[in-house]
Amino acid sequence: MTPETVVNFGRQAMEMMLITSAPVLMVALVVGLVVSLFQAVTQINEATLSFLPKLVAVVVTIVIVGPWMLTMLTNYIRQVIGSLATVAGG
């Protein structure tokens, strides 16, 4: 296994991590921003007010986007396992 193939596997793994986590992180970011604006406008500084909406939004997003994420990860793992035999075998 050459250093280039190791770097390629690492790059693909990072890309897959970013692609699959992006929807959940974006939803948490947007909900956090909206809640922060609401807190700034109403001057309500309650820690649980920012935590609970983000938690609910993230859970709903995982329920909606979860099958797509699982499909992407399964396809990636199949690709890696399939190519390991050819890369390691020479």
Side-chain angles (χ1 to χ4, degrees):
M1 193 179 290
T2 65
E4 291 83 18
T5 57
V6 173
V7 169
N8 191 26
F9 280 131
R11 183 186 54 79
Q12 287 176 347
M14 286 210 168
E15 286 176 0
M16 186 58 55
M17 177 191 65
L18 288 173
I19 289 170
T20 55
S21 66
V24 176
L25 292 176
M26 288 298 167
V27 167
L29 176 76
V30 170
V31 170
L33 181 64
V34 169
V35 169
S36 295
L37 285 173
F38 175 74
Q39 283 181 330
V41 168
T42 61
Q43 296 181 355
I44 299 174
N45 292 325
E46 181 64 34
T48 57
L49 184 62
S50 65
F51 178 73
L52 191 61
K54 278 194 271 187
L55 179 66
V56 170
V58 165
V59 168
V60 168
T61 304
I62 289 175
V63 167
I64 292 171
V65 185
W68 172 79
M69 292 168 65
L70 188 60
T71 302
M72 292 286 290
L73 290 172
T74 305
N75 290 340
Y76 172 71
I77 290 171
R78 283 186 185 149
Q79 175 192 358
V80 168
I81 290 174
S83 64
L84 274 180
T86 59
V87 171

